[in-house]
Amino acid sequence: MQLRVVTDQPWDVTADVLAIPIIGEPTFDGPLGELNKRTGGELASLAEFGELRPKRYTSAVAASGELAASRVLTVSAGEADKIDRETVLHVGASAQHRLGGRHARSLAIWLTPLADVLDGGIDAVAELVARGVVEGSFEPKTLYLDDVATAPPVLDELILIAPGADAGSAQKAAERGVIMGEGANHARSLSNRSANDVTPEVLAQEARDIAERHGLWIDVIEPDRARELGMGMFLAVGQGSDNPPRMIVMRSGKEGEKDSLDRHLAIVGKGVCFDSGGISIKPSERMEEMKMDKIGACTVIAAIQTVARLAPGTPLLAVAPAVENMPGSHSTRPGDVVKALNGKWVDITNTDAEGRLILGDAMTYAETLGATHIVDVATLTGAVSRAFGHLITGAFGTPQSWYDEVVTAADKAAERYWQIPLLDDYVPDMESWYGDLQNAGSAEGSLIKSGLFLREFRTVPWAHLDIGGTGYFRKTTPWAARGATGVTHATLVELALAGAKG
Ligand code: BES
Ligand code: MN
Ligand code: ZN
């Protein structure tokens, strides 16, 4: 896809579709009035008909009259005072997603109305809209099928219209947005692939291919070495499957190298290629969704690739423990007691609380490789989606200053988090009769307990992003297809890039 920022007026831009953001209840004066005039009053007539209500991400396609573009597409951004970075991202994504099944080769988007209301102006809008268009083009059906009639069109050209702007600077911003969007889509493609396709070894091979393409260091730890190292929790989860586990470790920069913020950041992602629950087996309803229990791993693998594309050499470690959690005669049994890499003895009271086991060893391993700061991403609990739904990610962190740094990156990335407390009062509930602690504990406060468990397996500043609700959508939205969403990819990339050198 060619990307072009132009400073022409929107009525002069030739394209198959001209997308017009609508802010609040539109009034047809200024440039919007001119657009309306040249469409022969089509926009005002749409508004009168009730088609342009200020409901976010609603859209309409209409004839273009005398405009240079062949058709117009309105996308509502809602009320001006509620428009934030995420809104702008979703307006871009909605424009492209709305074109699903339509025949269009070029899409032009008029940025001015959004730039007038967003801090950061044209450059911020160019980046977010470009990223949105790329993310809005994602369609999971195309993973296995060649001809998907309803898929968003493959664009030859995306034209961003910014009269009066510094086109060069907006172009650079938009290019960054495209790369961010491509990274999120790469994470989504890997995440959506089924468990008969993506085993831990296949995920490791995907990581090796990425490492080779971008000159990243990679180490894939197989079960024999994991045993020598003492990764008892990681191995306990993987041992029930014929598809052996892989601890995938990738790095940009040198071993232990500090970034410009004096950090050696590690991003750690849960890679459960299928979570049946193991012997603590899950109900069959919706079990098929548990092929997406590897989203965290796919996200950190994609994120280190995106960082390598945007700022090669930035110190960053990505650790992705990949396993299949399966029942069988070799499986871990409820009540099995294993020794974690950090020396703690863990009583596995529930084999379905497996994510925290593999992440615990992965975080300890990241520290042995010099990590000074850790963020982990995981579809860790169902509880987080019951609490927060699909639109905001539940997160933990300690110390608070590190959590706050993650949130700063998240704001830039146009992603939302809500902090969950690490309430020490629940620690006694995680006590075991036999080991240092158990992995599940009673149902009360189970979401908090998931964080408390993980906290035991790191010593450096750490944040945990539970994408059990936000990691994949069951229903399509105006801005996104069903399936993996790519959430947290942009946050991780912004967090790492904050420490980029030079
Ligand atoms: N992968 C699941 C969490 C999950 C469930 C994510 C549904 C997205 C949708 C995780 O491994 C799990 O099974 N968690 C248990 C923990 C419990 C056994 C303490 C849960 O949430 O029920
Ligand atoms: Mn589970
Ligand atoms: Zn799981």
Side-chain angles (χ1 to χ4, degrees):
M1 181 184 77
Q2 281 270 13
L3 175 67
R4 196 150 56 88
V5 174
V6 300
T7 55
D8 306 329
Q9 292 297 343
W11 45 85
D12 289 329
V13 176
T14 305
D16 291 336
V17 178
L18 168 68
I20 302 174
I22 302 292
I23 317 277
E25 295 272 7
T27 52
F28 295 98
D29 42 31
L32 192 59
E34 185 65 29
L35 280 165
N36 178 50
K37 201 176 92 197
R38 297 198 191 208
T39 58
E42 179 72 15
L43 294 175
S45 138
L46 277 178
E48 207 170 303
F49 182 53
E51 200 59 41
L52 302 187
R53 269 185 248 281
K55 186 168 182 257
R56 274 181 181 185
Y57 318 131
T58 52
S59 54
V61 176
S64 63
E66 306 290 305
L67 299 178
S70 308
R71 255 167 236 290
V72 294
L73 164 65
T74 63
V75 181
S76 293
E79 298 296 349
D81 58 347
K82 297 239 171 71
I83 293 176
D84 60 10
R85 295 174 66 82
E86 193 195 66
T87 318
V88 173
L89 174 71
H90 287 174
V91 166
S94 298
Q96 169 67 358
H97 195 227
R98 177 64 167 75
L99 297 178
R102 312 306 194 279
H103 306 287
R105 293 309 220 156
S106 56
L107 169 63
I109 305 184
W110 182 35
L111 302 184
T112 314
L114 297 166
D116 286 345
V117 295
L118 190 77
D119 289 343
I122 279 290
D123 285 2
V125 171
E127 172 169 351
L128 291 163
V129 165
R131 177 179 145 204
V133 168
V134 172
E135 294 183 8
S137 70
F138 186 79
E139 169 51 57
K141 267 200 174 163
T142 60
L143 280 173
Y144 294 111
L145 303 182
D146 288 331
D147 289 312
V148 180
T150 53
V154 177
L155 297 176
D156 293 333
E157 196 172 32
L158 172 63
I159 305 158
L160 301 178
I161 307 172
D166 173 346
S169 138
Q171 175 84 27
K172 269 185 98 173
E175 280 163 8
R176 187 179 192 270
V178 167
I179 290 174
M180 293 287 268
E182 287 172 351
N185 287 355
H186 195 146
R188 294 160 94 183
S189 296
L190 288 173
S191 303
N192 279 317
R193 282 166 62 187
S194 51
N196 63 323
D197 174 6
V198 177
T199 59
E201 169 53 26
V202 169
L203 192 59
Q205 191 51 47
E206 292 282 346
R208 287 186 198 102
D209 293 346
I210 287 172
E212 187 165 348
R213 272 206 298 281
H214 300 282
L216 301 171
W217 176 87
I218 184 162
D219 182 27
V220 176
I221 302 172
E222 303 201 350
D224 285 347
R225 190 144 63 93
R227 210 164 291 116
E228 276 165 35
L229 287 162
M231 297 177 167
M233 295 198 295
F234 170 67
L235 288 166
V237 179
Q239 72 192 35
S241 174
D242 282 343
N243 296 316
R246 298 283 185 260
M247 181 71 77
I248 303 164
V249 188
M250 303 167 82
R251 190 177 61 231
S252 97
K254 295 187 191 62
E255 181 167 0
E257 184 183 343
K258 299 282 173 63
D259 64 13
S260 71
L261 299 173
D262 208 30
R263 314 171 305 193
H264 189 67
L265 176 63
I267 54 179
V268 179
K270 171 177 173 180
V272 179
C273 294
F274 190 73
D275 181 13
S276 70
I279 298 296
S280 312
I281 198 159
K282 288 180 177 298
S284 58
E285 198 181 335
R286 295 210 176 121
M287 202 201 266
E288 74 278 6
E289 291 178 5
M290 285 300 111
K291 66 181 176 187
M292 281 185 285
D293 211 18
K294 61 183 180 301
I295 298 178
C298 300
T299 305
V300 302
I301 291 168
I304 196 170
Q305 167 172 245
T306 304
V307 170
R309 291 181 70 190
L310 288 171
T314 300
L316 181 65
L317 193 61
V319 186
V323 299
E324 260 182 19
N325 188 22
M326 297 292 279
S329 61
H330 299 286
S331 296
T332 291
R333 295 143 290 234
D336 281 3
V337 180
V338 301
K339 193 179 182 191
L341 182 59
N342 75 346
K344 290 191 178 165
W345 284 92
V346 175
D347 183 355
I348 302 178
T349 51
N350 188 327
T351 64
D352 197 13
E354 83 296 340
R356 58 197 76 179
L357 299 172
I358 64 173
L359 289 169
D361 277 349
M363 293 198 295
T364 305
Y365 192 65
E367 287 194 22
T368 69
L369 294 181
T372 63
H373 295 73
I374 297 176
V375 181
D376 82 79
V377 183
T379 45
L380 203 70
T381 69
V384 78
S385 68
R386 289 190 289 278
F388 298 110
H390 285 72
L391 299 181
I392 185 160
T393 299
F396 299 79
T398 183
Q400 190 61 35
S401 56
W402 175 238
Y403 181 84
D404 294 342
E405 273 183 63
V406 176
V407 168
T408 303
D411 289 344
K412 213 169 167 220
E415 294 187 316
R416 290 187 284 196
Y417 297 86
W418 197 263
Q419 191 173 8
I420 305 161
L422 289 157
L423 218 61
D424 290 317
D425 310 62
Y426 283 122
V427 170
D429 271 19
M430 306 292 288
E431 270 171 21
S432 156
W433 291 9
Y434 308 98
D436 290 303
L437 74 170
Q438 57 168 302
N439 73 328
S442 64
E444 186 192 341
S446 65
L447 178 55
I448 293 177
K449 287 170 186 167
S450 69
L452 291 175
F453 182 89
L454 288 173
R455 191 178 64 172
E456 296 304 310
F457 298 91
R458 34 51 65 188
T459 63
V460 300
W462 154 77
H464 162 56
L465 313 177
D466 189 343
I467 57 170
T470 54
Y472 66 91
F473 287 168
R474 292 197 176 114
K475 286 186 293 201
T476 155
T477 67
W479 70 90
R482 284 175 288 221
T485 58
V487 73
T488 77
H489 169 271
T491 298
L492 298 176
V493 172
E494 293 293 1
L495 188 66
L497 290 179
K501 293 172 164 176

